[in-house]
Amino acid sequence: NAGVTQTPKFRVLKTGQSMTLLCAQDMNHEYMYWYRQDPGMGLRLIHYSVGEGTTAKGEVPDGYNVSRLKKQNFLLGLESAAPSQTSVYFCASSYLPLYSNQPQHFGDGTRLSIL
Amino acid sequence: KQEVTQIPAALSVPEGENLVLNCSFTDSAIYNLQWFRQDPGKGLTSLLLIQSSQREQTSGRLNASLDKSSGRSTLYIAASQPGDSATYLCAKIQGAQKLVFGQGTRLTINP
């Protein structure tokens, strides 16, 4: 059982380049989330999805787009990368909403550097 | 303004000691509070989740408490071991999809 898998694990981009981060979960979870983790800032929610075909903005959505075409996959896109987007990106999933006492399952992260 | 604060940012103790990690939060209107562990280069692993109606939760050597009135939660680790070395994060669940994290406490247990 793989759980939550993030691809790639590391990436270096130049300013202005675009890329897509892939998150895949094999637990049949409805809810999926993208976070970024920066030193001294904790984790902040970028976008989330409450089911296939749905997406919604989180706390820091600017500069990112997402898609949830298949239930098991949640894609995070950077259309024009900026140095401020250098961060560690985490994907998480859960079967029920957060208030239902079901914990989230996290991937191991994608370390992204924008030069 | 930091909604969830963890102090200290780093803590180093000898093996075998009991220790307490602190988490304070603004706005007592929370659903639940969750403690996570993060190992270097890894994602987060959920340790304990305390519902807003509960005062504490226990799992093995870990005990987490929640005091909504004072806006505080503590994670107590008994008989610490080197394998407990990690960063510990607390997060308050404020809504269906709103999880607000603290900055974490980096814990080192010295053999």
Side-chain angles (χ1 to χ4, degrees):
Chain A
N1 189 344
V4 178
T5 303
Q6 292 184 233
T7 308
K9 296 187 184 304
F10 303 93
R11 186 73 183 268
V12 178
L13 290 178
K14 294 181 179 179
T15 298
Q17 288 184 318
S18 64
M19 79 161 295
T20 300
L21 282 65
L22 171 64
C23 176
Q25 52 92 6
D26 61 0
M27 298 171 283
N28 199 36
H29 285 173
E30 291 290 338
Y31 300 82
M32 296 188 75
Y33 310 82
W34 275 108
Y35 294 91
R36 60 178 289 173
Q37 184 176 34
D38 302 292
M41 299 290 289
L43 277 79
R44 292 179 292 169
L45 182 65
I46 305 172
H47 286 279
Y48 64 93
S49 168
V50 300
E52 181 178 320
T54 75
T55 63
K57 294 180 179 180
E59 182 183 356
V60 288
D62 294 341
Y64 305 95
N65 56 75
V66 288
S67 64
R68 182 100 181 267
L69 299 180
K70 294 183 179 180
K71 186 177 183 178
Q72 64 268 34
N73 295 336
F74 195 28
L75 278 63
L76 178 70
L78 286 72
E79 291 187 348
S80 180
S84 61
Q85 295 177 303
T86 294
S87 187
V88 181
Y89 292 86
F90 287 99
C91 176
S93 70
S94 62
Y95 187 67
L96 294 173
L98 297 180
Y99 58 68
S100 64
N101 306 325
Q102 294 292 315
Q104 291 181 314
H105 297 258
F106 282 79
D108 286 342
T110 294
R111 283 145 189 82
L112 184 61
S113 293
I114 314 296
L115 304 179
Chain B
K1 176 185 174 183
Q2 190 69 28
E3 292 187 53
V4 179
T5 304
Q6 293 183 249
I7 296 173
L11 180 65
S12 180
V13 300
E15 180 179 2
E17 281 200 3
N18 304 324
L19 59 100
V20 174
L21 304 181
N22 296 298
C23 172
S24 60
F25 50 88
T26 58
D27 188 354
S28 60
I30 66 172
Y31 280 100
N32 306 312
L33 190 127
Q34 197 164 359
W35 282 91
F36 295 87
R37 169 184 173 137
Q38 185 176 26
D39 292 289
K42 297 293 185 180
L44 280 66
T45 301
S46 179
L47 296 173
L48 290 164
L49 188 153
I50 312 174
Q51 299 178 42
S52 60
S53 58
Q54 297 177 320
R55 299 279 299 179
E56 64 179 66
Q57 278 284 344
T58 299
S59 176
R61 294 183 293 108
L62 305 180
N63 175 276
S65 67
L66 175 63
D67 185 342
K68 288 176 57 179
S69 62
S70 65
R72 291 187 60 197
S73 177
T74 60
L75 178 67
Y76 174 82
I77 302 177
S80 58
Q81 304 170 357
D84 294 330
S85 297
T87 296
Y88 291 81
L89 297 101
C90 68
K92 63 174 182 176
I93 301 169
Q94 273 193 262
Q97 315 303 338
K98 188 171 177 65
L99 193 65
V100 181
F101 285 87
Q103 311 98 312
T105 294
R106 188 173 67 254
L107 177 65
T108 302
I109 308 299
N110 302 305

